Amino acid sequence: MTVLEIIHYPDDRLKQESQEVELFDQELKDFVTDLEETRMAGPGAVGIAAPQVGCAKRLAIVDVSGLKKPVDNHGYLLMINPEITKWEGMEKGREGCLSVPDFTGNVIRAEKIKIRFQGLDAQWTEFETHGYEARAIQHEIDHLDGMLFLDRLVSRRTDLFQRKIYKK
Amino acid sequence: MKKWSLLTLVGADQPGIVSKVTQALAAVDCELGETSMMRMGCNFSMMLRVHHDGKDLPDLLKGVCSELKLHLHVDEDVDGACVDNEPDVNITVYGADRSGIVAEVTSTLADAGLNIIDLETALAGTTDKPIYIMTIEGQAKNGVDALTDAAKTISAAVEMNIVPIQTLRA
């Protein structure tokens, strides 16, 4: 197991579109192990995508099950060749990225999504998710398409009137 | 030895203010850090953290300030960048305009532990029925629940939404 080097913008590899994974072999399994170890080494990272370690494959990991303030989640998700097949709603949230140190900003994402992806056994899984987990998945899939959250920043003044926690 | 200074410039809005001020700074290798620039009423305001090697900034900007009729103020920014600047709560407030909304809301929330990082307000609506809108990003030092509880005591007829910010790192 190895902690891989996280590449940082302006590295061009972060802006490239990744290729479909076709070979589900031992090399892929080993890479996934290293990628997860790299995620765990990043401070509080809930996700990581292959391009963040310079590998242009459509593969990402998301796990939002360990947050201090718990959110709905599906546990550890290894997503190979993931696709979002349905989007619903919009929500503004604050994001940061291992590949863009020392900056966080507001991004609008779909509130609910339907996602399908393959596992290490090449079998497809599909489910709906929402909120924080959906945000993390969208952030990671953007990496596979050569997009960073910086490409989706909204002005400080852009405010969606969010779900109401308190209304006088 | 380089240092940071904080520049504040204000003047009647016109095209070219940002480009002329920043060109004057860039021409002598003054580097910009965080900046905030916006139109307020018919004025344009700029605040810029500038990294430089001890330049006489008022002298450097004399020409452009005179041409654009800008007021300039310089503070020495001895503390540099603030590392603890991550907001954990987003607050929106709006309602029929009246005097004292900002004072009442912010004093109540400050007592409940709010440290404001970013606050913007705007006047909207019609002349005879103006509304006031405020957005705040800040740190809830005593937790978001403390702010929510405190908000219930605010007497003003304002709508208020207090939403925790859970920053995603991925």
Side-chain angles (χ1 to χ4, degrees):
Chain A
M1 296 208 298
T2 316
V3 173
L4 305 168
E5 187 193 348
I6 301 268
I7 61 173
H8 295 151
Y9 184 78
D11 192 310
D12 286 344
R13 289 172 290 176
L14 289 165
K15 301 297 289 179
Q16 286 169 4
E17 196 171 337
S18 293
Q19 303 300 308
E20 295 270 315
V21 174
E22 288 170 354
L23 265 181
F24 291 76
D25 57 4
Q26 186 60 43
E27 193 183 328
L28 182 70
K29 281 184 191 163
D30 293 344
F31 174 69
V32 167
T33 305
D34 290 346
L35 190 64
E36 172 63 357
E37 198 179 345
T38 308
R39 179 184 76 84
M40 295 298 283
V46 296
I48 191 167
Q52 291 181 279
V53 296
C55 171
K57 285 183 180 166
R58 300 192 72 81
L59 184 165
I61 295 169
V62 164
D63 187 350
V64 301
S65 65
L67 295 178
K68 272 189 212 155
K69 291 178 195 162
V71 294
D72 289 345
N73 70 87
H74 291 78
Y76 168 86
L77 299 172
L78 166 64
M79 301 180 293
I80 300 172
N81 300 327
E83 286 172 48
I84 296 172
T85 57
K86 209 170 108 184
W87 292 261
E88 203 181 312
M90 285 195 296
E91 198 167 50
K92 187 179 83 169
R94 201 169 189 90
E95 300 183 15
C97 183
L98 296 171
S99 297
V100 186
D102 293 333
F103 181 75
T104 62
N106 289 323
V107 177
I108 291 170
R109 302 278 190 192
E111 206 282 323
K112 263 170 89 170
I113 57 170
K114 191 178 216 179
I115 174 92
R116 72 191 288 267
F117 55 85
Q118 289 172 283
L120 279 172
D121 57 2
Q123 293 303 303
W124 288 94
T125 303
E126 183 169 29
F127 55 79
E128 288 193 11
T129 184
H130 63 274
Y132 195 88
E133 185 176 66
R135 173 172 296 275
I137 290 170
Q138 291 170 82
H139 180 113
E140 296 312 337
I141 291 181
D142 267 356
H143 278 301
L144 309 184
D145 293 328
M147 297 265 289
L148 296 171
F149 79 111
L150 301 178
D151 294 307
R152 297 191 187 276
L153 283 181
V154 292
S155 149
R156 297 183 298 154
R157 310 189 89 189
T158 304
D159 212 339
L160 299 169
F161 278 74
Q162 303 180 350
R163 65 199 146 84
K164 293 190 178 180
I165 299 296
Y166 165 71
K167 185 184 171 189
K168 194 171 171 68
Chain B
M1 172 90 166
K2 285 201 162 188
K3 64 173 188 173
W4 286 96
S5 299
L6 181 62
L7 306 190
T8 308
L9 296 111
V10 182
D13 189 31
Q14 58 185 299
I17 295 177
V18 174
S19 70
K20 284 176 181 165
V21 169
T22 54
Q23 278 181 58
L25 293 168
V28 290
D29 293 327
C30 290
E31 296 168 349
L32 301 187
E34 300 104 309
T35 68
S36 171
M37 313 185 202
M38 67 188 297
R39 193 157 77 166
M40 304 185 79
C42 293
N43 301 298
F44 194 76
S45 74
M46 306 170 72
M47 294 186 80
L48 311 95
R49 289 187 68 230
V50 176
H51 202 210
H52 62 102
D53 56 8
K55 296 255 177 347
D56 182 346
L57 296 175
D59 187 57
L60 189 73
L61 293 170
K62 203 160 56 183
V64 70
C65 286
S66 157
E67 179 195 342
L68 299 168
K69 295 188 173 54
L70 299 173
H71 298 285
L72 168 68
H73 177 80
V74 181
D75 288 293
E76 294 313 323
D77 182 15
V78 287
D79 291 332
C82 179
V83 289
D84 182 23
N85 58 0
E86 193 70 48
D88 61 14
V89 65
N90 185 73
I91 301 164
T92 55
V93 181
Y94 65 98
D97 187 35
R98 62 167 181 82
S99 62
I101 293 178
V102 177
E104 182 173 6
V105 169
T106 57
S107 60
T108 303
L109 296 179
D111 288 345
L114 178 68
N115 181 34
I116 295 171
I117 292 176
D118 194 329
L119 183 150
E120 286 183 347
T121 67
L123 256 180
T126 56
T127 312
D128 58 331
K129 284 188 179 170
I131 61 171
Y132 203 74
I133 302 164
M134 170 160 64
T135 60
I136 302 174
E137 284 188 341
Q139 294 169 327
K141 298 289 188 188
N142 304 334
V144 175
D145 288 348
L147 299 182
T148 307
D149 288 344
K152 291 173 186 160
T153 68
I154 291 171
S155 61
V158 291
E159 299 283 336
M160 208 161 150
N161 301 304
I162 301 177
V163 181
I165 298 173
Q166 196 164 13
T167 301
L168 181 135
R169 294 180 194 290

